[in-house]
Amino acid sequence: MAKSFPNMKTMVSRKTRTFVAVTLLALFCSSLICVSAQRKEKSTQTKQEVKPGTADQQPRRRADALLAQMTLDEKLGQLNQRFMLFQTEESLNDGIRKGEIGSLLFVTDPAVINRFQKVAVTESRLKIPLIFGFDVIHGFHTIFPVPIGMAASWDPKMVEGAQMVAAREARAVGINWTFAPMVDIARDPRWGRIVEGAGEDPYLGAAMSRAQVLGFQGDRIGSPEHLLACVKHFAGYGAAEGGRDYDAANISDAQLWNVYLPPFKAAVDAGVGSVMSAYMDLNDVPATGNRWLLRDVLRKEWKFRGFVVSDANAVSDLKTHGYARDGQDAAVKALTAGVNMEMSFSATVYLKNLANAVKQNQVSIKEIDDMVRPLLETKIKLGLFENPFVDEARVKTTFDNPAHREAAKTAAARSAVLLKNQNNLLPLSKTAYKKIAVIGPLADSRQNTLGSWSLAMDVNETSTILAGLKTKLGTGTEIEFAPGVQMDRFSNPSIFDMTLKEKHPPTWTEVKAADEFKTAVDLAKDSDLALMVLGENQDMSGENASRSTIDLPGRQLELLKAVTATGKPVVLVLLNGRPLDITWAAQNVPSILEAWYPGSAGGNAIADLLFGDAVPGGKLPFTWIKNAGQSPFYYSHNLTQNPGEQEKRYWNEKAVPLYPFGYGLSYTTFAFSNLKVSQPEIRIGETVEVTVDVKNTGTRAGDEVVQLYIHQQAGGASRPIRELKGFERVALAAGETKTVRFKLGPDELRYWNAAAKDWVQEAETFDLWVGNDSTASLHSTFRVAQ
Ligand code: NOJ
């Protein structure tokens, strides 16, 4: 049964609570033949436009009628979202009763949700229901692979389905709103939150963004068993300097429009109902006080009609940034910039200051109304006025739906990426190994199989890799486990550790550690195969989990070397959310499978993959660098005056990644042929069709992700060496050939030009490549004429 999160009052001392509260407060806290600026009509039409005379006007009318009855304080109450952290139900109820709270987050117990809602709809003057928000990021009760893993599936339909399940489960407890999808482009893997997004590429990122919004929201806001989605963190958070979480981002206009904003635009076009403003400074203006972002881009340019919520405490943090003079200044700056709702622990800067700001003519009532209206409209669209309560009796049946676990298993299998498979060691034979040694600190850790933002699940329902193997092989094979090493965030514990349902603090003494290490190596010597499960604990990646190195934490590499030295065949399974320095493994370990944090059914899915009941088909959503010193590193960089010596950018090592963007192996092989472009030349605004045949040249069925990359040869700006502009994951039986079609039109061929300060499509020659990663070699060209 879901529990209210967090129920920590009873778990931690007052001193610890104070420390954690303070910490959380601080943290969450051409040859230019033609430059034809083309406003893309299509892309500025969103699903949310209020069209006169349509049903869309009804929520607006109802919201206006309500607004007309509200006092200023009641209006400000609607703009106030509070955490259920370190507060009593009574104190929150008091605020709800007075109409001072419009939303709560982090309540996951349906009974508690119903109790709060009852106070709102029966005891507050205007009976406006609360909207309950939660971080439903990759599952709720059933945990799916972390978002970077799901992006590695290159399967938007699957991702949409996964978020539909997550929405259904969260909705079942009374949650109406998820703070997802997180669509920040991340090109520096030192940044811990790379695990929460879709990686480095705007095209893949936009596809995943769209899929998630549709999965969460369904066909409209208020669709039964769905949630309101909230695309975050607007915008540029992934470019935090040095990969240090929360640090400032300095991003050129061209990079913003061409790289960082497209996944947000995709979410808006898909009808996302809310947006979360980011924490950090964007080009010296904090995102939460950034009028250009929140008004000019989001509302004017993109016609967004939903509402913006700040990240936790980000409004009061405008003062911390040195951008606002005091609380009132912070409130005025955020509100006038376009933040509708303030998410806060206790600062409630809006509630405390905006009435005064109105009195002092710093903000008008009209400005306040404009901020409240979309919130009311959303509550109306969600049906909260008609159906404020949740049926507690339906929670269990929803959680127990076997289809949810099956979907999580499929997602984990489709997300895994096979990085190396020397001599086809994988898939393993189910009968060839009498004894298998399962080694590593993550092999039997349920919490670490789930990944960050797994908060409301039952950890006991997690299948670890050890458990998955045992289930698969039954009693015919002896399976023995040894963790070998322990690891920890030694100098800077995670603020999220208090949310972990299962903890593995390193408790071994030096003698015990030496013993355990030896036990693991001896076990490998005594077995026919060593399956090593290494990577990072879940709290080593995610929010507030940046690192200056990307090595395997603790003594894991030492253990891997010692086990490999036994001469037994070794398979390495990785659980992690960022590229790790596995250079040694890539040279010395025969098979490596990237499993990410695979979720509730992860162990079963990985066992299927290891023993050939599923075939890996995932591809890397980021460039896998060798070490942190190479960061940032992404495939779509510009050409330079010395492209032939790209590999020599460093004198001490080759400036090449370990694995390229889009890379991933299979148990079968594929060949590409017959690349055709429908016309050698099109005009600006027209579309060219690209077709290619992909053949499964092996002896077993498998999936290939067909990827299309383009390069504009010249123009009004240097364009990236390659840009992904199409992909499709295709299932092929042994020997089967399929023809895959892509369309390249204005959407794919335009770019934002810094000099023109606009989108341009230029009459130029384009290269195109098709293949199965960003180094694809099958090449053609076409020309765009004026
Ligand atoms: C802070 C995080 O940055 C954001 O992603 C999350 O949604 C909020 N806290 C609420 O948990």
Side-chain angles (χ1 to χ4, degrees):
M1 187 62 151
K3 287 265 152 48
S4 171
F5 169 81
N7 204 352
M8 278 154 297
K9 285 207 83 169
T10 49
M11 286 164 41
V12 287
S13 70
R14 176 184 293 245
K15 201 171 152 203
T16 315
R17 289 205 317 264
T18 311
F19 163 76
V20 171
V22 168
T23 317
L24 281 167
L25 279 169
L27 293 166
F28 276 111
C29 317
S30 136
S31 59
L32 224 92
I33 296 172
C34 164
V35 177
S36 162
Q38 296 195 339
R39 287 266 167 236
K40 281 202 328 154
E41 287 309 317
K42 193 171 132 209
S43 66
T44 53
Q45 274 176 16
T46 75
K47 282 189 180 176
Q48 301 173 24
E49 272 178 284
V50 178
K51 297 176 201 84
T54 68
D56 294 343
Q57 277 191 333
Q58 206 214 353
R60 169 129 193 186
R61 269 193 244 112
R62 282 177 67 184
D64 280 339
L66 248 180
L67 262 175
Q69 298 174 55
M70 292 167 83
T71 63
L72 176 58
D73 285 347
E74 285 167 336
K75 290 174 185 173
L76 299 182
Q78 288 304 305
L79 306 183
N80 183 21
Q81 181 185 51
R82 300 291 301 278
F83 272 86
M84 201 195 160
L85 271 176
F86 319 117
Q87 329 250 356
T88 60
E89 228 178 290
E90 296 80 72
S91 70
L92 287 169
N93 276 336
D94 195 41
I96 296 167
R97 216 170 268 126
K98 290 188 197 143
E100 285 178 354
I101 297 175
S103 172
L104 287 175
L105 74 157
F106 275 45
V107 198
T108 56
D109 182 333
V112 179
I113 286 182
N114 277 340
R115 287 206 295 272
F116 280 130
Q117 195 67 295
K118 190 165 175 214
V119 175
V121 301
T122 62
E123 298 180 39
S124 72
R125 190 181 76 91
L126 289 172
K127 311 193 180 336
I128 303 176
L130 297 162
I131 177 170
F132 292 90
F134 193 66
D135 289 284
V136 185
I137 310 293
H138 53 109
F140 182 72
H141 176 79
T142 308
I143 302 298
F144 285 77
V146 287
I148 194 76
M150 289 208 276
S153 72
W154 292 56
D155 184 354
K157 266 280 155 226
M158 184 278 284
V159 173
E160 184 182 334
Q163 300 302 32
M164 226 165 72
V165 170
R168 189 182 299 139
E169 291 186 348
R171 194 73 189 80
V173 304
I175 289 165
N176 328 104
W177 180 21
T178 176
F179 306 119
M182 187 281 213
V183 305
D184 294 309
I185 296 295
R187 296 180 158 190
D188 185 338
R190 291 173 296 184
W191 191 52
R193 304 195 78 169
I194 186 172
V195 65
E196 295 178 50
E200 75 179 48
D201 186 74
Y203 188 89
L204 179 64
M208 291 300 159
S209 172
R210 195 178 305 117
Q212 293 188 78
V213 170
L214 296 176
F216 285 130
Q217 289 192 169
D219 57 358
R220 67 188 155 86
I221 293 168
S223 192
E225 299 197 317
H226 285 79
L227 300 172
L228 177 74
C230 179
V231 68
K232 70 184 187 186
H233 306 83
F234 199 56
Y237 189 20
E241 280 173 344
R244 294 178 297 270
D245 207 1
Y246 313 119
D247 274 3
N250 284 293
I251 311 177
S252 71
D253 264 15
Q255 287 281 302
L256 253 178
W257 286 106
N258 291 318
V259 178
Y260 290 91
L261 294 180
F264 289 96
K265 177 66 163 59
V268 171
D269 288 347
V272 75
S274 67
V275 173
M276 185 184 288
S277 65
Y279 275 133
M280 74 311 137
D281 278 1
L282 173 66
N283 301 334
D284 296 342
V285 180
T288 295
N290 200 311
R291 199 185 164 91
W292 175 77
L293 266 180
L294 301 172
R295 289 206 184 267
D296 298 353
V297 175
L298 186 62
R299 291 179 169 98
K300 286 195 194 130
E301 177 89 17
W302 295 352
K303 309 275 185 280
F304 173 70
R305 300 270 180 262
F307 68 88
V308 175
V309 62
S310 75
D311 203 337
N313 292 331
V315 176
S316 59
D317 285 349
L318 292 182
K319 184 169 168 284
T320 317
H321 281 251
Y323 181 68
R325 281 186 298 276
D326 49 31
Q328 184 164 324
D329 194 29
V332 171
K333 283 190 162 132
L335 186 104
T336 53
V339 175
N340 302 69
M341 183 180 265
E342 177 191 8
M343 179 193 288
S344 79
F345 284 94
S346 57
T348 57
V349 165
Y350 272 15
L351 196 65
K352 285 182 188 148
N353 298 286
L354 284 174
N356 226 15
V358 170
K359 249 185 246 153
Q360 294 168 6
N361 288 328
Q362 291 174 324
V363 177
S364 69
I365 289 287
K366 179 178 180 314
E367 281 174 303
I368 303 274
D369 286 356
D370 288 347
M371 289 289 112
V372 178
R373 187 180 298 106
L375 289 163
L376 297 176
E377 281 181 88
T378 306
K379 288 182 177 183
I380 292 163
K381 287 184 191 166
L382 284 169
L384 288 173
F385 286 84
E386 288 75 22
N387 297 301
F389 301 112
V390 62
D391 181 357
E392 291 167 45
R394 284 193 50 215
V395 175
K396 190 164 162 33
T397 42
T398 308
F399 284 2
D400 290 349
N401 185 341
H404 291 191
R405 202 173 167 85
E406 202 47 45
K409 185 174 154 195
T410 304
R414 291 181 79 76
S415 299
V417 183
L418 183 63
L419 296 175
K420 186 180 176 195
N421 197 18
Q422 201 174 309
N423 301 326
N424 296 323
L425 174 60
L426 294 177
L428 300 168
S429 151
K430 285 174 197 155
T431 50
Y433 306 100
K434 285 208 167 57
K435 183 168 177 181
I436 296 179
V438 178
I439 297 172
L442 302 174
D444 197 30
S445 163
R446 294 174 296 188
Q447 183 80 54
N448 288 318
T449 303
L450 299 173
S452 71
W453 293 122
S454 19
L455 302 167
M457 75 296 166
D458 177 350
V459 75
N460 299 316
E461 292 182 12
T462 314
S463 124
T464 63
I465 293 182
L466 179 66
L469 289 175
K470 285 186 170 164
T471 307
K472 166 118 345 232
L473 297 177
T475 49
T477 310
E478 201 186 327
I479 299 175
E480 271 196 47
F481 165 62
V485 297
Q486 289 188 318
M487 58 176 155
D488 195 18
R489 279 176 59 146
F490 47 90
S491 64
N492 180 1
S494 170
I495 53 164
F496 291 99
D497 283 350
M498 63 179 183
T499 69
L500 302 181
K501 301 274 166 80
E502 188 186 74
K503 301 179 202 284
H504 301 272
T507 51
W508 297 346
T509 60
E510 234 174 272
V511 173
K512 169 93 172 142
D515 253 23
E516 291 282 349
F517 193 97
K518 184 168 179 308
T519 302
V521 180
D522 288 348
L523 177 61
K525 280 186 195 149
D526 192 36
S527 304
D528 306 316
L529 177 109
L531 182 82
M532 301 207 57
V533 187
L534 306 178
E536 292 184 318
N537 284 339
Q538 82 156 68
D539 68 354
M540 295 174 171
S541 94
E543 186 178 351
N544 187 32
S546 293
R547 298 176 69 192
S548 62
T549 61
I550 56 164
D551 52 349
L552 283 163
R555 295 178 64 197
Q556 292 185 96
L557 179 57
E558 212 183 309
L559 182 66
L560 180 64
K561 287 182 176 173
V563 168
T564 308
T566 64
K568 299 293 164 131
V570 177
V571 173
L572 172 60
V573 175
L574 291 167
L575 299 193
N576 53 294
R578 56 157 63 88
L580 293 170
D581 181 350
I582 54 159
T583 315
W584 188 88
Q587 285 159 358
N588 297 283
V589 174
S591 293
I592 308 173
L593 182 69
E594 172 56 77
W596 314 106
Y597 297 104
S600 302
N604 302 116
I606 301 308
D608 278 0
L609 288 162
L610 292 172
F611 288 91
D613 293 328
V615 179
K619 304 280 178 182
L620 293 176
F622 50 59
T623 302
W624 191 299
I625 55 175
K626 290 179 176 164
N627 52 61
Q630 292 188 325
S631 185
F633 205 138
Y634 48 91
Y635 81 93
S636 67
H637 59 82
N638 287 2
L639 280 162
T640 66
Q641 81 281 8
N642 196 4
E645 297 209 329
Q646 194 66 42
E647 292 189 3
K648 297 184 182 168
R649 293 293 188 260
Y650 300 126
W651 61 257
N652 62 316
E653 65 172 40
K654 271 195 176 180
V656 289
L658 191 58
Y659 302 113
F661 172 83
Y663 168 86
L665 304 171
S666 170
Y667 294 156
T668 184
T669 47
F670 302 92
F672 294 86
S673 64
N674 226 358
L675 175 61
K676 285 189 199 133
V677 183
S678 58
Q679 291 135 273
E681 186 171 295
I682 55 168
R683 305 186 85 84
I684 284 178
E686 290 178 351
T687 296
V688 70
E689 189 179 75
V690 179
T691 53
V692 67
D693 291 347
V694 53
K695 179 173 183 183
N696 181 342
T697 50
T699 54
R700 57 185 305 154
D703 287 6
E704 182 58 292
V705 179
V706 184
Q707 303 165 40
L708 169 76
Y709 296 87
I710 64 163
H711 167 63
Q712 182 176 328
Q713 288 186 354
S718 297
R719 300 301 301 137
I721 183 165
R722 287 183 183 206
E723 293 178 279
L724 181 72
K725 291 293 175 181
F727 67 86
E728 192 177 330
R729 182 165 173 157
V730 195
L732 292 161
E736 192 186 4
T737 301
K738 278 185 184 161
T739 302
V740 177
R741 286 168 208 286
F742 298 103
K743 286 202 165 18
L744 293 172
D747 279 1
E748 289 77 26
L749 302 176
R750 68 179 195 151
Y751 71 95
W752 202 89
N753 179 292
K757 291 194 173 26
D758 209 344
W759 293 100
V760 301
Q761 191 188 348
E762 296 171 329
E764 287 296 347
T765 302
F766 287 79
D767 293 297
L768 70 87
W769 296 265
V770 176
N772 53 8
D773 67 40
S774 54
T775 66
S777 55
L778 198 58
H779 173 257
S780 188
T781 58
F782 64 93
R783 196 173 154 74
V784 176
Q786 217 175 335

